[in-house]
């Protein structure tokens, strides 16, 4: 106990000197002559009116207690008294302080510049009604002279009304503050409550006079030192080669404020707001510290965690880049904190549905990076066959089949690999498209209509008059048309009779038509009519070796000179002969053998015959005949 008293006496001597020198709290100098900082409205104790307090801070210049004048909300101002009684009160207050704080009375009535001053409303103040144990400030105490027992302020009332406190130190140094009694709070931070719960209600004021309502109970109002370190922006993550802006908040009368770190440096380590840069090569998370000392020379410390982040390095991983069905490909991105795909998605994994290039931008606090990937979805090929104008053609004609497909990998059942083919034969035709994702096949049946015209004529030559019976032998038709010497004689008759009553050549043409498909064929027969059996030229012979009609020849009714020439359908001469005929005797001219010894083919052949009689006019005959039998 003795050592404690010696220490406190030493503190009092030092602090008295400090007060006299006017340097207490020098780091908090103000430009105004003083500021009202706090009013203890609802004091503790049985006689609250003598225990109320006001705390002010002196500005840049000393002030004197002899100049002070106070206008209380209630009761008159009674002046400042300093005597043995006030000294005893201060000693009682200091005896309860456990920290490094201290109360002193002014020397010679001087209130030093930048000092904290506690005004107690009466020399009859009861020190035991308040707790000063944790105080760390050095505060000058002055007392209003006794005589007032009633309160100087208005305690809580649910009916709102304001109260104003004014203090002056001469005509040019004054300040007033105002509070509303209905806003006073109790020790629970609420309004109202019991009288005991409301004890300690106070109002704090900033430099602008703005009121803040608080209640710490029966504790002497003072502001302890506290510090808080913060990042100006972000969470303290530093990019390669970067720095971070930091700031600190200090409450209370603090000194020796500074930033510290063993792994980096500060732009200005004693400024509240500065920047921190890690040493080169440092990439491990670590703490930096801000500290300030209170009046007890004890440090208050706060820390900030510095973390590191790299520049983003975006990579896309794909389970596949080629597929046949949507949903088979998944793209997963890594290397950043946030992502934005060209599809608008923000997830780490997306499932493309169409072919194309997909781009993702990844970002973190240090920047952004971009990556792209191209995916391709094959499709099951489609195909079809277009034919025109129909899938039924006439014999000897062709039809174009067009294979429709976006692919070029096509083939036909004919072996062709072009997009279209021309076909002339009946049957099924297949068009095939082959791709990685499947095969498509289409087919079409082509039909050929074999419309042929043919008829027999019996007889096909003779001495006039006679009737030639023409009998239709055509196939695959639905309409017939007969014409004689270019004139249509009959329609749709299967058998017709042709009267031959004039000498000469009768050219009969039969046209068979399939009107459904537009197929037409014609067949022509020449019928000879002549008088007196002068000349007979057949229109058909069958050199098949059966002894019947095996030769093409001429019969005349008189001895004449016959010049005969036979031609094939291309106009090539195959027989040339001149002879003297025997009347009424058939003269064989040709047996169907070609000059080279080969056998002639079936078909139509042509003749030109010149008959020169002994007396009379020369006659010429032109026509054709049919070789219909197989030559043996």
């Amino acid at each position: 106990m003795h050592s404690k008293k010696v220490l406190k006496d030493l503190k009092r001597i030092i602090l008295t000197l400090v007060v006299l020198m006017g340097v207490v709290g020098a780091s908090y100098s103000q430009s105004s002559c003083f500021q009202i900082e706090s009013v203890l409205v609802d004091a503790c104790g049985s006689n609250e009116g003598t225990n109320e307090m006001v705390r002010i801070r002196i500005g840049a210049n000393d002030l004197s207690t002899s100049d002070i004048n106070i206008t209380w909300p209630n009761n008159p101002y009674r002046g400042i008294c300093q005597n043995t009684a006030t000294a005893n009160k201060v000693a009682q207050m200091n005896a309860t302080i456990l920290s490094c704080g201290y109360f002193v009375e002014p020397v010679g009535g001087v209130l030093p510049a930048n000092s904290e001053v506690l005004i107690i409303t009466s020399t009859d103040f009861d020190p035991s009604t308040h707790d000063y144990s944790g105080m760390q400030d050095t505060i000058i105490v002055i007392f209003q002279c006794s005589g007032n027992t009633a309160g100087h302020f208005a305690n809580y009332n649910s009916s709102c009304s304001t109260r104003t406190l004014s203090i002056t130190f001469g005509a040019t140094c004054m300040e007033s503050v105002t509070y509303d009694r209905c806003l006073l709070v109790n020790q629970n931070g609420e309004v109202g409550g019991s009288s005991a719960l409301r004890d300690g209600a106070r109002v704090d004021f900033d430099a602008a006079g703005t009121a803040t309502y608080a209640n710490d109970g029966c504790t002497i109002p003072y502001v302890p030192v506290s510090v808080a370190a913060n990042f100006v922006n972000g969470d303290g993550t530093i990019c390669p080669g970067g720095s971070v802006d930091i700031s600190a908040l200090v409450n209370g009368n603090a000194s020796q404020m500074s930033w510290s770190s063993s792994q980096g440096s500060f732009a200005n380590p004693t400024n509240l707001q500065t920047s921190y840069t890690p040493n080169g090569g440092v990439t491990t998370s670590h703490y930096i510290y801000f500290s300030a000392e209170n009046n007890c020379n004890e440090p208050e410390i706060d820390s900030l965690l510095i973390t590191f982040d790299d520049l983003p390095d975006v990579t896309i991983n794909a389970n596949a880049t080629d597929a046949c069905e949507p949903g088979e490909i998944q793209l997963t991105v890594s290397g950043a904190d946030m992502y934005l795909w060209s599809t608008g998605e923000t997830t780490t994994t997306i499932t493309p549905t169409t072919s194309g290039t997909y781009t993702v931008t990844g970002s973190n606090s240090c920047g952004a990076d971009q990556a792209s990937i191209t995916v391709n979805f094959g499709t099951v090929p489609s195909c079809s066959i277009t034919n025109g104008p129909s899938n039924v053609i006439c014999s000897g004609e062709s039809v174009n089949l067009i294979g429709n497909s976006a692919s070029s990998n096509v083939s036909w059942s004919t072996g062709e690999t072009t997009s279209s083919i021309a076909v002339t034969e009946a049957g099924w035709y297949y068009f095939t498209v082959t791709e990685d994702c499947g095969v498509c096949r289409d087919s079409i049946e082509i039909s050929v209509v074999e419309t042929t015209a043919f008829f027999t004529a019996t007889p096909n030559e003779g001495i006039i008059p006679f009737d030639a019976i023409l009998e239709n032998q055509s196939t695959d038709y639905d309409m017939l048309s007969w014409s004689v010497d270019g004139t249509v004689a009959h329609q749709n008759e299967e058998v017709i009779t042709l009267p031959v009553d004039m000498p000469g050549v009768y050219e009969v043409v039969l046209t068979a038509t399939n009107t459904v498909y537009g197929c037409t064929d014609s067949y022509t027969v020449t019928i000879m009519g002549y008088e007196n059996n002068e000349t007979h030229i057949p229109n058909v012979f069958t050199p098949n070796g059966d002894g019947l009609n095996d030769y093409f020849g001429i019969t005349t009714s008189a001895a004449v000179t016959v010049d005969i020439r036979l031609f094939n359908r291309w106009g090539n001469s195959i027989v040339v002969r001149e002879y003297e005929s025997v009347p009424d005797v058939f003269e064989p001219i040709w047996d169907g053998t070609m000059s080279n010894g080969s056998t002639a083919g079936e078909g139509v052949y042509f003749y030109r015959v010149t008959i020169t009689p002994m007396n009379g006019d020369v006659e010429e005959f032109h026509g054709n005949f049919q070789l219909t039998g197989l030559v043996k």
Side-chain angles (χ1 to χ4, degrees):
M1 293 297 295
H2 179 71
S3 60
K4 181 177 180 181
K5 182 177 183 303
V6 171
L7 178 60
K8 284 196 172 185
D9 288 342
L10 180 60
K11 282 185 177 181
R12 181 175 58 186
I13 295 170
I14 295 173
L15 290 173
T16 299
L17 293 174
V18 169
V19 170
L20 290 174
M21 294 172 65
V23 295
V24 174
S27 60
Y28 287 91
S29 62
Q30 302 175 23
S31 59
S32 61
C33 58
F34 76 98
Q35 177 189 334
I36 300 175
E37 291 185 331
S38 184
V39 175
L40 180 61
V41 174
D42 194 339
C44 300
S46 59
N47 190 0
E48 295 182 12
T50 61
N51 296 330
E52 295 165 335
M53 306 178 189
V54 175
R55 189 178 76 248
I56 67 173
R57 178 179 290 277
I58 306 303
N61 300 304
D62 296 348
L63 296 178
S64 173
T65 58
S66 62
D67 295 329
I68 189 171
N69 186 59
I70 302 174
T71 302
W72 305 107
N74 297 315
N75 290 318
Y77 173 60
R78 297 185 177 274
I80 300 299
C81 290
Q82 182 176 349
N83 49 41
T84 302
T86 60
N88 290 333
K89 303 288 185 181
V90 171
Q92 293 177 50
M93 294 163 63
N94 285 330
T96 64
I97 296 175
L98 302 177
S99 186
C100 66
Y102 206 69
F103 292 105
V104 296
E105 289 188 276
V107 176
V110 175
L111 302 177
N114 303 312
S115 62
E116 286 276 352
V117 177
L118 185 64
I119 304 173
I120 298 177
T121 55
S122 177
T123 55
D124 295 327
F125 168 67
D126 182 0
S128 66
T129 58
H130 295 83
D131 179 10
Y132 324 101
S133 60
M135 195 181 76
Q136 297 177 345
D137 291 338
T138 297
I139 297 179
I140 298 175
V141 183
I142 60 175
F143 295 85
Q144 181 180 224
C145 298
S146 63
N148 287 340
T149 58
H152 296 73
F153 304 99
N155 291 350
Y156 169 79
N157 191 294
S158 59
S159 296
C160 295
S161 60
T162 60
R163 295 293 186 270
T164 299
L165 168 67
S166 297
I167 300 176
T168 65
F169 285 89
T172 59
C173 182
M174 62 186 66
E175 185 172 20
S176 296
V177 293
T178 301
Y179 70 93
D180 196 324
R181 64 188 301 184
C182 70
L183 300 179
L184 294 171
V185 299
N186 60 33
Q187 296 169 16
N188 294 331
E190 302 169 347
V191 296
S194 66
S195 175
L197 191 62
R198 296 197 305 267
D199 283 350
R202 78 172 191 272
V203 186
D204 296 329
F205 299 94
D206 61 15
T210 303
T212 302
Y213 299 85
N215 192 324
D216 292 324
C218 298
T219 302
I220 195 70
Y222 66 95
V223 179
V225 172
S226 64
V227 297
N230 299 283
F231 295 109
V232 175
N233 295 298
D235 59 357
T237 299
I238 297 179
C239 302
S243 61
V244 62
D245 292 330
I246 51 178
S247 65
L249 294 176
V250 178
N251 290 317
N253 189 12
S255 61
Q256 303 299 319
M257 294 172 289
S258 65
W259 295 90
S260 62
S261 171
S262 63
Q263 301 190 62
S265 60
F266 301 87
N268 192 324
T270 60
N271 283 3
L272 293 181
Q273 183 162 328
T274 185
S275 63
Y276 172 70
T277 302
N279 293 332
V282 174
T283 58
T284 304
S285 298
H286 58 274
Y287 286 93
I288 61 174
Y289 302 92
F290 177 79
S291 65
E293 291 185 359
N294 59 26
N295 287 340
C296 298
N297 297 320
E298 296 170 341
E300 296 291 333
I301 301 173
D302 196 13
S303 63
L304 294 174
L305 177 63
I306 301 297
T307 58
F308 294 86
D309 202 353
D310 291 327
L311 291 171
D313 184 12
V314 175
T315 301
I316 300 176
N317 295 310
N319 63 327
T321 55
D322 295 288
C324 293
E325 295 293 333
E328 294 182 357
I329 297 177
Q330 286 190 329
L331 306 180
T332 301
V333 63
S334 60
D337 296 336
M338 296 181 294
Y339 304 97
L340 177 62
W341 293 86
S342 52
T343 60
E345 296 167 277
T346 58
T347 55
T348 56
T349 299
I350 66 170
T351 303
T353 59
T354 59
S355 298
T357 299
Y358 290 78
T359 300
V360 62
T361 300
S363 60
N364 61 16
S365 59
C366 293
D369 189 30
Q370 196 173 79
S372 298
I373 192 170
T374 299
V375 301
N376 179 62
F377 288 101
T379 58
V380 176
S382 61
C383 60
S384 64
I385 297 176
T386 302
N387 63 289
S390 171
N391 60 344
V392 179
I393 60 175
C394 302
S395 177
E397 296 180 353
S398 65
V399 62
N400 283 331
L401 302 182
I402 300 174
N404 303 300
S405 175
S407 173
S408 60
N409 191 19
V410 302
S411 63
W412 293 88
S413 52
T414 61
E416 295 167 277
T417 57
T418 55
S419 60
S420 64
I421 61 174
V423 298
T424 59
E425 298 180 1
W428 281 96
Y429 294 85
Y430 297 89
F431 177 66
T432 303
V433 179
T434 304
E435 292 290 352
D436 292 339
C437 291
V439 175
C440 177
R441 180 175 289 109
D442 195 14
S443 62
I444 189 171
E445 184 180 18
I446 299 299
S447 300
V448 177
V449 178
E450 298 284 351
T451 299
T452 60
F454 185 76
F455 67 94
T456 60
T458 308
N460 60 8
E461 61 181 353
I463 299 173
I464 57 172
F466 67 89
D467 289 334
I469 306 302
L470 311 180
E471 185 175 355
N472 173 50
Q473 300 293 326
S474 303
T475 61
D476 210 350
Y477 66 93
D478 58 13
M479 187 174 72
L480 295 173
S481 177
W482 300 85
S483 67
V484 180
D485 293 334
T487 301
V488 176
H490 301 276
Q491 295 279 7
N492 295 325
E493 296 183 33
E494 295 291 327
V495 180
I496 65 173
T497 300
L498 175 64
V500 180
D501 54 6
M502 295 290 290
V505 178
Y506 293 75
E507 186 178 78
V508 180
V509 179
L510 173 62
T511 301
T513 303
N514 187 317
T515 60
V516 176
Y517 299 107
C519 300
T520 299
D521 191 35
S522 296
Y523 182 70
T524 302
V525 171
T526 300
I527 298 174
M528 299 296 297
Y530 48 89
E531 290 183 302
N532 299 322
N533 196 27
E534 291 181 352
T535 303
H536 172 65
I537 303 174
N539 67 347
V540 64
F541 82 108
T542 58
N544 56 8
D546 62 357
L548 300 173
N549 200 25
D550 284 339
Y551 291 87
F552 175 84
I554 296 177
T555 302
T556 65
S557 60
V560 295
T561 300
V562 178
D563 186 346
I564 184 169
R565 297 175 185 272
L566 302 183
F567 306 92
N568 61 18
R569 68 179 67 186
W570 296 283
N572 298 324
S573 176
I574 56 176
V575 174
V576 177
R577 184 179 174 188
E578 184 176 344
Y579 68 93
E580 297 291 333
S581 67
V582 177
D584 298 321
V585 175
F586 176 77
E587 183 70 30
I589 303 301
W590 185 45
D591 65 354
T593 301
M594 303 298 288
S595 60
N596 61 4
S598 63
T599 301
E602 293 183 343
V604 177
Y605 293 82
F606 300 86
Y607 60 83
R608 185 176 67 197
V609 178
T610 302
I611 303 296
T612 305
M614 296 296 294
N615 297 298
D617 296 328
V618 177
E619 295 180 272
E620 286 192 0
F621 299 91
H622 301 271
N624 59 62
F625 61 94
Q626 182 79 26
L627 190 159
T628 62
L630 298 174
V631 177
K632 295 185 178 180

